[in-house]
Amino acid sequence: MQKPDIDPILNEKVRAFSEKTKAHIQALFAVFGLHGIFGRSAVMETLDLKTSAASDLIQRLLQADVIEPVCGYGKGKYIFKNM
């Protein structure tokens, strides 16, 4: 089964993001897809980012409506929106 392509979603939702940020989003999506649940520590590990950079990325993704919080997995867990 082929994973969904996040590029059309990115192009529409995050036009103002830098190419580096888009690459980070694509790397996260490649690891977690539409069903993987992740938090700040997973973002830090996956992208080799520091705490504040991972938090900033998550906030930007929330504001762009690309990810959403999930319940039942602890505080600060997210999933990519199925668009």
Side-chain angles (χ1 to χ4, degrees):
M1 184 173 163
Q2 187 178 5
K3 283 189 177 182
D5 185 13
I6 195 167
D7 286 336
I9 298 167
L10 284 180
N11 289 336
E12 187 175 320
K13 295 267 186 186
V14 295
R15 293 178 201 263
F17 285 6
S18 71
E19 290 303 315
K20 183 176 180 180
T21 301
K22 288 178 186 178
H24 282 158
I25 297 167
Q26 289 171 331
L28 276 179
F29 190 79
V31 172
F32 297 103
L34 290 174
H35 304 291
I37 297 167
F38 58 92
R40 184 178 63 198
S41 60
V43 172
M44 290 170 57
E45 184 178 313
T46 303
L47 302 175
D48 195 29
L49 295 175
K50 298 207 184 274
T51 305
S52 60
S55 294
D56 288 345
L57 179 60
I58 288 171
Q59 286 304 311
R60 293 181 75 191
L61 291 175
L62 283 168
Q63 290 171 353
D65 202 31
V66 175
I67 63 173
E68 62 188 345
V70 293
C71 297
Y73 295 92
K75 184 180 177 186
K77 300 297 185 233
Y78 306 92
I79 192 166
F80 279 96
K81 283 190 160 191
N82 189 2
M83 297 178 218

